[in-house]
Amino acid sequence: MGAFTYRWVSRPGPLTVDDYRRRARRAVPGMVWAFVDGGAEDLRTLHANRAAFGRWALNSRVLTGNDASDLSVEVAGVPLSLPVLLAPTGVAGISHWTGDVGASQAAEGAGTRAILSTASSYSIEEVAAATTEDHFFQLYPWADEATGARALTASFIDRAKRAGLRALFVTVDVPVLGNREDERRRGMGAPPVLTPARIVDAAIRPRWWYRFLRHQRMGARNLVDEGGVEAAVRSVRAQYRFMRPELDWTDFEWIRDQWSGPLYIKGVLDARDAVRAVDLGATGVVVSNHGGRQLDGAVASLDALPAIAAAVKGRAEVLLDGGVRRGTDVVKALCLGATAVCIGRPYLYGLAARGPEGVSHVLQILREETARAMTLMGVARVADLDETWLLPADHVVGVEPSPPEQE
Ligand SMILES: Cc1cc2nc3c(=O)[nH]c(=O)nc-3n(C[C@H](O)[C@H](O)[C@H](O)COP(=O)(O)O)c2cc1C
């Protein structure tokens, strides 16, 4: 008998995005968890985003000789080694003090890009200084609180330009803030509502609590940098005032005229809106329902994808976010016409659980899962994925199992 070796492992490390989710839940107070993991009202759209992936089965061919080690795609004229970007998430610094800087560094380490939120915990300039690649900027077209004028939006655009950020993503699905009841129940607001129980909930996570207090990355730093200390005080409140229901397509045109680089519209679910944005000069569309945080009952983003991809085919890039947790989800989105996908919560789970290393690992997990799935399907390249690789899952696996034998 040959030599038999084994390793003694006391606790297996996280293997999946879901493993990171469980770890993240333990790492942060309930108030933060409600913000990161929660959604609007009855969470119908949040769950629908996941369920939509389950309705597709993957076809596979054998003996193709194909090994999908190359997952590269191009987004905004940048070659990415992975068809997964980091979606913009506000105040990432409450999940882990390294926030947007840690996440962007992990993204570039993985050969991809992060989309920095307007409501980021680190300013545009801080992220640009801490990274080497040209990441992307997400714009909330916020109005100045007093005048309602566009000066604040213009200054964000100008700062993103000066900092060398490459692409602008204009988020259009927040005319008002979604009704996030769990956040309200847990006191997550502007300012947060503290109770003795909530303080204890934070204090029993001393590592999180200490870093949170020490680094103070809870406000929207882009506003702080606009107006010094006074703005710092206002910033937390302002995050809840960015909504502007009066915005229309003329605002989108105005933003387009301020920005000469690649321009994306984020939060589109209707093909007519996608076509209109592309007609107005958008480089791409992000099919998204904001991760189920805005209109509860909105269509799952994967379900909205095929019509949008068909409507703008060949004229624009189509990105998708919402519910991507597995490499097979990435593959399905690419088959249905996405150029690449974005992840929001998955990297926040990584960040909350293990800081930037956790984000790197989440990206690594998705890379390995995607490549493995494609190789098992017999597909060599991302460009070869199309709808012919998908079958409606209920036609394939929806066969009722025979009832168990009666004794
Ligand atoms: C905690 C959190 C904060 C977010 N903040 C922003 C934001 O500032 N701007 C934005 O355009 N989208 C924001 N989003 C939405 C994400 O960009 C993305 O659309 C969504 O997270 C995708 O769904 P997923 O979390 O299932 O991957 C946020 C999402 C989360 C979870």
Side-chain angles (χ1 to χ4, degrees):
M1 219 163 104
F4 175 67
T5 58
Y6 62 89
R7 274 194 312 148
W8 182 259
V9 180
S10 56
R11 192 166 71 130
L15 295 176
T16 65
V17 168
D18 254 11
D19 288 348
Y20 269 102
R21 179 171 184 261
R22 280 186 285 275
R23 288 202 175 199
R25 173 64 196 95
R26 292 196 296 268
V28 298
M31 196 184 250
V32 173
W33 186 246
F35 175 67
V36 169
D37 203 53
E41 294 181 357
D42 300 317
L43 313 184
R44 282 178 204 277
T45 297
L46 180 83
H47 295 311
N49 278 346
R50 283 297 300 132
F53 287 99
R55 286 196 293 276
W56 292 105
L58 296 164
N59 197 6
S60 58
R61 303 297 305 273
V62 295
L63 300 177
T64 59
N66 287 333
D67 176 2
S69 48
D70 177 9
L71 298 181
S72 56
V73 292
E74 198 177 290
V75 173
V78 183
L80 307 179
S81 76
L82 177 71
V84 180
L85 297 102
L86 302 190
T89 58
V91 286
I94 60 171
S95 291
H96 186 269
W97 71 273
T98 57
D100 320 276
V101 162
S104 309
Q105 288 174 344
E108 61 189 30
T112 185
R113 295 288 187 280
I115 308 166
L116 181 69
S117 166
T118 303
S120 54
S121 303
Y122 285 78
S123 70
I124 297 169
E125 293 76 14
E126 285 175 308
V127 172
T131 52
T132 52
E133 302 292 357
D134 45 356
H135 292 274
F136 307 159
F137 183 64
Q138 175 263 324
L139 178 74
Y140 276 129
W142 284 347
D144 303 291
E145 230 178 285
T147 63
R150 286 168 167 167
L152 184 61
T153 310
S155 82
F156 286 144
I157 295 175
D158 193 45
R159 287 169 58 190
K161 250 186 248 172
R162 275 188 279 123
L165 297 190
R166 182 175 184 88
L168 190 69
F169 285 68
V170 186
T171 296
V172 291
D173 57 6
V174 189
V176 291
L177 195 70
N179 183 19
R180 305 173 193 170
E181 290 159 356
D182 205 32
E183 281 181 28
R184 286 158 60 191
R185 276 191 199 103
R186 297 201 190 214
M188 181 68 193
V193 182
L194 293 177
T195 61
R198 286 173 192 154
I199 291 170
V200 170
D201 186 33
I204 58 172
R205 293 171 175 84
R207 190 192 270 242
W208 179 89
W209 193 216
Y210 168 75
R211 290 165 164 173
F212 178 74
L213 293 175
R214 167 137 196 254
H215 299 284
Q216 303 268 325
R217 288 288 170 177
M218 62 274 254
R221 279 302 162 110
N222 287 323
L223 282 182
V224 177
D225 289 0
E226 281 295 316
V229 176
E230 191 194 325
V233 176
R234 282 193 291 117
S235 75
V236 175
R237 296 182 79 98
Q239 286 165 54
Y240 287 80
R241 297 232 185 106
F242 51 65
M243 303 73 69
R244 296 179 55 199
E246 80 280 10
L247 286 186
D248 62 23
W249 288 99
T250 61
D251 293 276
F252 186 71
E253 288 177 78
W254 178 81
I255 291 166
R256 175 202 62 197
D257 293 342
Q258 316 300 307
W259 180 263
S260 54
L263 176 71
Y264 294 76
I265 186 163
K266 176 175 181 283
V268 171
L269 295 167
D270 187 305
R272 290 166 295 185
D273 288 340
V275 169
R276 185 151 187 185
V278 174
D279 286 345
L280 291 175
T283 315
V285 175
V286 186
V287 181
S288 169
N289 49 39
H290 217 102
R293 300 163 76 81
Q294 285 297 106
L295 174 63
D296 193 33
V299 63
S301 36
L302 192 75
D303 289 339
L305 173 64
I308 292 178
V312 301
K313 202 181 172 105
R315 297 173 61 209
E317 292 167 20
V318 179
L319 305 183
L320 168 126
D321 74 27
V324 174
R325 302 291 180 268
R326 283 283 192 185
T328 47
D329 300 335
V330 178
V331 170
K332 288 173 186 175
L334 297 176
C335 287
L336 290 174
T339 315
V341 302
C342 307
I343 52 167
R345 295 182 188 84
Y347 81 87
L348 293 178
Y349 301 151
L351 199 61
R354 288 178 64 202
E357 211 183 308
V359 181
S360 302
H361 192 205
V362 162
L363 287 168
Q364 177 65 16
I365 288 169
L366 290 176
R367 179 192 298 282
E368 286 172 9
E369 288 182 353
T370 305
R372 187 187 302 110
M374 285 172 58
T375 303
L376 288 169
M377 290 164 68
V379 183
R381 285 178 307 271
V382 166
D384 297 336
L385 290 170
D386 61 23
E387 69 281 359
T388 62
W389 290 99
L390 296 182
L391 302 158
D394 52 353
H395 290 192
V396 186
V397 292
V399 183
E400 284 295 309
S402 20
E405 300 268 331
Q406 298 291 322
E407 282 194 4

